[in-house]
Amino acid sequence: VTGKVIVTLTGRTKFSTEFNYSVISTSTSPAASSADFQFVSSGGPITIGPNTSADSTTTTIMVTIFDDAIDELNEIFEVRILSPVEKAGAKASVGFTDNVAAVTIEDDDNAPTLEILKPANVVESVSSATISVKLNGASGAGVKVKITSSNGTATAGSDYTSSSSTLTWNADETGIKTFTVSILDDALEEDGETVILTLSGTSTITTSPSTPGVTIATGTATLLITDDEPAAAIVTIMSDGEVMPRDGY
């Protein structure tokens, strides 16, 4: 995308005016040269005029705006005109009305989203299960989210260890972070049991009233813990008093 900074010379003159310019970083939401924008003719000099038939004339400073896929605040840089000089035979100097222009680069990216990926089933004899959380799209302010395990049909303390953690993606980072659920084995023959994983409390690392946000697309998932004990023996009492073993008794 190409942007324009318009410079106006007011007043009639038969002489041209030449000036250089510089870029000033702003303290709030600064845009970065080369990363966010690049001037076509860096620094000048720029020539405007002569102008003998109208009350004003203009010239243009061209700037290339670089697109990215990062959700971020609008970014700002300022252009400052430096020491305009009227050339060749001028009788008076050229002054300023306003020599600084602020340029805002408006962000067009959607807020990133978080999702818990469906976990694989685990056998209760394993020591832990790994839960993956994916950030789709990057944030210029970074992202944090809390993940918590809770009882489904499994019981904390006997089937797994209940816990929570905060997952963090730095500014401009995307992809998968992981959370570990500790699995507890027992000697009971039982049905598969479930643990519920929940995302909550999203925030950005950099905080301000205008900081871009993040949304939760898939905030819950279910982990299934399967049993590893052999089937229990079944004993059948026959009518004559004999005992018949079944199913491995």
Side-chain angles (χ1 to χ4, degrees), residues 12-63:
R12 300 187 183 190
T13 176
K14 63 180 180 180
F15 302 104
S16 61
T17 298
E18 185 177 274
F19 61 88
N20 292 321
Y21 61 89
S22 65
V23 177
I24 307 167
S25 296
T26 62
S27 58
T28 304
S29 299
S33 178
S34 299
D36 297 312
F37 68 93
Q38 183 69 58
F39 282 98
V40 175
S41 176
S42 182
I46 300 293
T47 299
I48 187 171
N51 174 42
T52 59
S53 60
D55 291 334
S56 64
T57 188
T58 62
T59 191
T60 302
I61 302 173
M62 305 299 293
V63 56

Side-chain angles (χ1 to χ4, degrees), residues 16 18 27 33 41 60 67 74 91 97 121 147 153 161 178 184 189 205 222 226 231 244:
S16 61
E18 185 177 274
S27 58
S33 178
S41 176
T60 302
D67 195 10
N74 292 342
K91 302 298 183 180
T97 298
N121 299 344
I147 181 169
T153 56
T161 300
T178 58
L184 305 177
E189 190 268 330
I205 298 172
T222 300
T226 60
M244 294 292 292

